[in-house]
Amino acid sequence: MRVGSRSRPLLLLFGVRGTNAYVDINGDLDARFGFYRFRTPLSNVAGWRTEGPWLWITAIGVRRGILNGEITFAGTHKAGVRLDFRERVRWGPLRVPALYVTVDDLEGFTRALTARGIPGEDARRKSP
């Protein structure tokens, strides 16, 4: 996961360290962000979308979207990948439709998803 240098002190509140902030897509989608972990079969990922940048104050940390209920694991406000699920994923008492992650190598991560047959788009490159 990409963690911005100015965000690092705040992310200590979420337990984020270099070794416990990652996304693994070998077999299952396994995302870890400090004290928090999110898992679902990779076959449940319907698609991806690269988005950003966002306002720093609305992006950093572990967050739940007000309108749709998506979960965010974000260490930077510059860009991230939204992973949409075929079926909502139970995460504690929540049923989550999507997960945002701010991976260190956006292009490499999305290429790996595409190679596994998961379609997506980079919304940052669309013209207005």
Side-chain angles (χ1 to χ4, degrees):
M1 291 269 205
R2 176 172 287 167
V3 175
S5 60
R6 289 185 285 171
S7 305
R8 202 170 304 276
L10 174 65
L11 293 174
L12 290 173
L13 298 172
F14 296 96
V16 175
R17 309 270 190 282
T19 59
N20 68 359
Y22 62 83
V23 180
D24 184 5
I25 56 170
N26 292 319
D28 288 342
L29 167 68
D30 181 11
R32 177 86 187 265
F33 198 66
F35 301 129
Y36 303 89
R37 190 170 196 178
F38 191 97
R39 295 182 78 163
T40 191
L42 199 55
S43 61
N44 191 36
V45 179
W48 58 267
R49 180 180 165 103
T50 304
E51 299 178 3
W54 306 284
L55 292 173
W56 184 89
I57 195 72
T58 63
I60 303 302
V62 176
R63 299 183 175 264
R64 181 162 193 243
I66 295 170
L67 297 177
N68 300 318
E70 68 276 356
I71 297 295
T72 299
F73 289 177
T76 182
H77 68 286
K78 294 183 179 177
V81 179
R82 177 186 168 108
L83 301 165
D84 291 297
F85 304 126
R86 297 179 197 290
E87 295 182 23
R88 289 178 177 251
V89 178
R90 181 169 293 284
W91 194 57
L94 307 175
R95 308 265 307 150
V96 178
L99 174 70
Y100 281 92
V101 291
T102 58
V103 295
D104 200 30
D105 179 2
L106 291 168
E107 287 74 21
F109 182 65
T110 57
R111 270 195 311 272
L113 290 168
T114 301
R116 287 164 173 79
I118 301 169
E121 67 174 328
D122 188 339
R124 302 170 304 156
R125 296 192 182 144
K126 287 190 171 184
S127 56

